Amino acid sequence: AAAQALRDTGFAVPEGAPWTVRGDLAQDGRVRIDIGEPPAPDAHQRFFEFRPQVFYINREVELLWRFHPQYGDASSSWGYHCIHAAPEGFRATRPGSPGPTFHARYGAPIMTRRINDLPEIGNQPGHSRLRFALPSTTSHLHNAHTASESDGYPNDWLNPGEYWDHHYANFPSGHDDRERLSTLWYHDHRMDFTASNVYAGLDGFYFMFDQPGAGNGDMDDETQGWRLPSGDYDLPLIFHDLLFAQEIVARGEDEKETGRKPRRVGREQSTRWTFESAQDWSDAADPARGVLLADGTRKAITHVGLSAVADDAGKSADGYDPSPEVVFDGFNIDGVIGDRWSVNRRVQPLLKVKPRKYRLRLLNGGPSRFYDLFLHATGVSPGYRAAVFGPESKEKQSRPATQTSHQMLVVTGDGNFQPNPVLVNSVYLGVAQRVDVIVDFAAFGAGARVYLVNELEQENGRGPTERRIRQSDYATDQDFFDANAQVAFEVEAEPVEDESRFPLFFRDLPPVDLSEVRRERLWEFDYDGGLWTINGDIFDPNRVDAGIEQDSAEIWTFRNGGSGWHHPIHSHFTEFIILEQDGKPFSQGSIQSELTPPPAAEQAQAETRASDTGAAARFESAAAPDAEGAAAPPQPGASGFSTGQALREAFPAAPPEAREGLRRRIETLRRRDPEALRLESAPADDWRALAETYWETVLKPQQKARLALLHGPIADDDPRLIAIGEAALATLERFVGDDGAVDEAAVMDVLAPLMEGRPQDIRFRRHAHFAALAAFLPQVGLRQPMLPDPARFMGGPRRDVALLLPNTEVTVFMRWKDFMGRHVMHCHNVVHEDYAMMIRWDIVPRGKGFDTPRSSDSVAHLGRETESRRRKHIEVHPPGGAHKPDDS
Ligand SMILES: [Cu+2]
């Protein structure tokens, strides 16, 4: 009857949908569950415009988990048990952590009923064995375009036995296709307990794909659209560092109660294991669990992780070896650092991979550690490095292969497709950041071991030291990998089909339109008396710190008031476009972002070239894709793009204010760093020779590697390679006068067609001129043509986490569309967040915005009563029988 009532209001309830069914779920009869009342359409903004087409029930459960073969059978963890509710019946994933990977699609809205089935806290049997976490939960889908009431607001928490409906409308902000996102993740966001609850296991991936027939795009199918590696070859990898207890007692019970002796298996006794003895988790994972496709079906995909020993803690724990429990120091306000590396909550797993391309979705799940990930390999086939990726310097060429990292092709940063793929040496991840890379394992050859190694030193929760962990500090390469690799891949011999491609273009970023800006705000992040503050205040859900007008944009500046702290800053609901860092402009063409403090040991050396280093590091990676495009225009057959159309889409006529903005940026650059646009140290008759040297030693190997990715092995005299060099040098000649100074008029002349929307007047592909400028100008002024540090990808120009390094500032542009209501901005070192480094901001009607904090009582927006959606569900009762541990 309830379902019929819903249908009468126009809600598309499928026949036999979950809210008409009660009884056993089709999961080997384990769980009988009553899922409560149908969802209430009027509790959701724009429900009828985005009617749910796919229904899930996601239970948060406590379970037994095997972190590592040497750590015993079953530690405690929290995770998810997800059920797809279809007219033809229920299908469930096996409980596990991370939770199931959602394969969502634009155009296919989802309704997920989240049920808190966690045990109560307490010491009695059957109560939670994770003493540090709080079984009170909310769930944030980071950084989806989701209405407030479904967004997992920190105060919208549930207690055990309650449920909450999350409506994921799955449409891009403002219906602008450039706003589309890709790799998202969901995680607990409970006020004051986010760090502990995520650490306990409450997180998972949510992928967004484009709908079939959308033309170009990310289709979840490597025969369509951009043809990225898909299905089995699209691997989610979530990084958590963990700390295990030194002493454990069987299933966390007190010795007093059980009379059993504690068994020591923790940190002191278990030495770090080695990859030589690694268990292959790819074989152990149950292929029939853990992935939810957009149409609600499950597909057999082998993922590491996602597989519990048993769920419903306390009901099925007998017979297991006592195992070390993860521990969490809830009173450490700096941040929590573990000494074991887990990927998908397996400690240093080994995965067997096919000799072909993979898309690796890298996610820093926190709570507090930063990563700088490099790809290393052992047992590589001869000829691999020269033919495919190429050493980026002669210095590296002379080192043993195992001591040279291999490049990765970045496709997304924080879920945003980059305008072009970017070839990088490392991927830097602040907490909550995601970067998707493509790695071709075929290139390494059968039997090769490929390691993803974190080389960023971090000793406490305050942030990384920025010192590189050096391979040469270890007695053997294997010691280095065992100590620092997060995950290892072993390349199998048997060839498989690989229909995936490396596209030349993805989509363009949404434009910055300063005419949309209604307000500018400054947020200063600091520390005060044991709490983390924003503008001097701690989080108060009843105080609204910013009133943002619906359908407007704002410019926010994040300022780090501390000299010893790193803060990865995240704001919900909409992406940042980074305008400036420390007052220096961030151009759309530059991919590298934050200016990284040079390693301490190299500080003195760096100071002598300080004015060049920043610019060089920023622009280095931008040069790779763009300079190549200068001579090798995109092939319509390869990418599906027509060049003219891509250019028209990329450069509509820019409004006068944008043109003015660009002019201002150039002026700012000149004012702040007068050397930036000059070649002062290059004698007029030498600059061309310096440029040629730089081409030969740095850019050419990079371009060769990039061409090789696209077209196969490339010879030194390949005409395409030569053309790139000539085009870049010609561009440089056009911009640089005989005296070595930049001809600003010439630069503006080249920029004009872009700003005025006359793409047909552009001789080279977009950004080619910028790239030549950016790559060459700083370089030819350097005495040493080598970069001090390999190019590192730190997230790109559009993202949802801004890395706020000590004593720095980041200025971003954001726009808010489509929904009203309350959200938060906070530090994503989630320990800092829990110690109050968060603000509430509300989207309010036009004309009702405000600058200074107000009481929430005085803020009118939709007036929806979120309390009304917190319902008690009737009962959940596991059948009682022990659930046998599976092979994992
Ligand atoms: Cu912080």
Side-chain angles (χ1 to χ4, degrees), residues 532 566-569 827-829 832 837:
W532 296 99
H566 289 64
H567 299 297
I569 304 303
C827 179
H828 225 299
N829 176 336
H832 297 182
M837 192 175 250

Side-chain angles (χ1 to χ4, degrees), residues 101 103 105 182 207-210 217-236 291 293 299-303 354 356-361 411 417 436-439 496-503:
T101 300
H103 284 226
R105 264 189 211 285
S182 171
F207 299 163
M208 295 235 47
F209 295 100
D210 297 311
D218 186 10
M219 300 297 181
D220 201 10
D221 177 348
E222 60 191 47
T223 67
Q224 288 186 49
W226 291 332
R227 306 185 63 173
L228 297 174
S230 299
D232 288 359
Y233 311 108
D234 181 0
L235 286 183
V291 177
L293 296 187
K299 188 174 165 189
I301 293 182
T302 303
H303 282 311
K354 307 290 181 196
R356 53 154 288 155
K357 292 191 282 299
Y358 278 70
R359 177 178 186 174
L360 305 179
R361 307 213 191 205
V411 295
F417 273 99
D436 295 1
V437 297
I438 297 179
V439 172
V496 293
E497 198 168 12
D498 182 358
E499 297 193 273
S500 67
R501 297 281 184 271
F502 292 114

Side-chain angles (χ1 to χ4, degrees), residues 259-279:
R260 277 185 273 200
K261 281 275 175 220
R263 213 178 105 179
R264 295 176 66 86
V265 288
R267 201 150 43 132
E268 287 192 337
Q269 283 194 353
S270 87
T271 53
R272 195 179 290 280
W273 69 305
T274 70
F275 281 104
E276 290 311 304
S277 63
Q279 175 164 344

Side-chain angles (χ1 to χ4, degrees), residues 290-584:
V291 177
L292 300 161
L293 296 187
D295 60 358
T297 59
R298 274 184 295 126
K299 188 174 165 189
I301 293 182
T302 303
H303 282 311
V304 64
L306 302 170
S307 150
V309 175
D311 71 338
D312 297 314
K315 307 286 187 195
S316 51
D318 291 335
Y320 295 101
D321 270 353
S323 307
E325 300 288 349
V326 288
V327 292
F328 180 87
D329 178 3
F331 296 99
N332 180 349
I333 59 168
D334 286 2
V336 172
I337 294 290
D339 64 357
R340 289 293 184 273
W341 323 131
S342 80
V343 171
N344 295 351
R345 299 183 75 74
R346 304 292 195 197
V347 172
Q348 290 184 297
L350 173 73
L351 279 172
K352 292 213 170 124
V353 290
K354 307 290 181 196
R356 53 154 288 155
K357 292 191 282 299
Y358 278 70
R359 177 178 186 174
L360 305 179
R361 307 213 191 205
L362 313 176
L363 159 63
N364 179 350
S368 304
R369 183 176 288 278
F370 291 66
Y371 298 82
D372 198 9
L373 298 166
F374 289 76
L375 207 58
H376 289 261
T378 57
V380 169
S381 303
Y384 151 72
R385 287 168 58 249
V388 181
F389 287 95
E392 85 269 14
S393 72
K394 290 200 168 118
E395 183 255 332
K396 279 200 158 184
Q397 214 163 10
S398 64
R399 295 163 65 191
T402 52
Q403 292 189 12
T404 304
S405 72
H406 301 269
Q407 294 184 305
M408 299 170 269
L409 194 71
V410 166
V411 295
T412 71
D414 286 359
N416 294 279
F417 273 99
Q418 302 303 295
N420 308 87
V422 189
L423 199 59
V424 302
N425 293 332
S426 78
V427 170
Y428 189 96
L429 291 174
V431 183
Q433 288 200 282
R434 293 87 65 211
V435 170
D436 295 1
V437 297
I438 297 179
V439 172
D440 188 354
F441 289 109
F444 295 90
R449 277 272 178 98
V450 182
Y451 298 91
L452 206 50
V453 182
N454 178 29
E455 299 188 14
L456 191 62
E457 182 187 84
Q458 183 164 353
E459 292 166 342
N460 56 43
R462 299 174 175 205
T465 63
E466 293 291 347
R467 276 194 297 274
R468 278 275 291 281
I469 295 169
R470 296 194 181 276
Q471 195 162 356
S472 53
D473 292 343
Y474 290 82
T476 68
D477 291 338
Q478 195 59 49
D479 289 347
F480 169 69
F481 298 140
D482 289 341
N484 301 294
Q486 309 292 304
V487 54
F489 305 94
E490 195 167 276
V491 183
E492 293 183 332
E494 194 188 338
V496 293
E497 198 168 12
D498 182 358
E499 297 193 273
S500 67
R501 297 281 184 271
F502 292 114
L504 284 167
F505 289 112
F506 294 114
R507 61 174 69 94
D508 288 293
L509 302 172
V512 170
D513 182 351
L514 297 179
S515 71
E516 295 173 38
V517 172
R518 194 64 52 90
R519 283 179 171 77
E520 297 195 28
R521 304 179 199 263
L522 171 68
W523 306 106
E524 181 155 356
F525 297 78
D526 215 334
Y527 174 82
D528 184 19
L531 290 169
W532 296 99
T533 61
I534 302 179
N535 288 358
D537 262 325
I538 60 170
F539 179 61
D540 177 352
N542 297 314
R543 189 188 71 235
V544 185
D545 288 301
I548 297 160
E549 297 187 19
Q550 163 75 294
D551 222 18
S552 77
E554 298 193 357
I555 290 176
W556 287 11
T557 294
F558 305 122
R559 176 181 294 164
N560 192 341
S563 57
W565 308 99
H566 289 64
H567 299 297
I569 304 303
H570 168 56
S571 192
H572 288 198
F573 187 71
T574 189
E575 299 290 300
F576 306 142
I577 297 175
I578 299 184
L579 299 175
E580 287 191 336
Q581 285 159 332
D582 283 340
K584 295 199 171 149

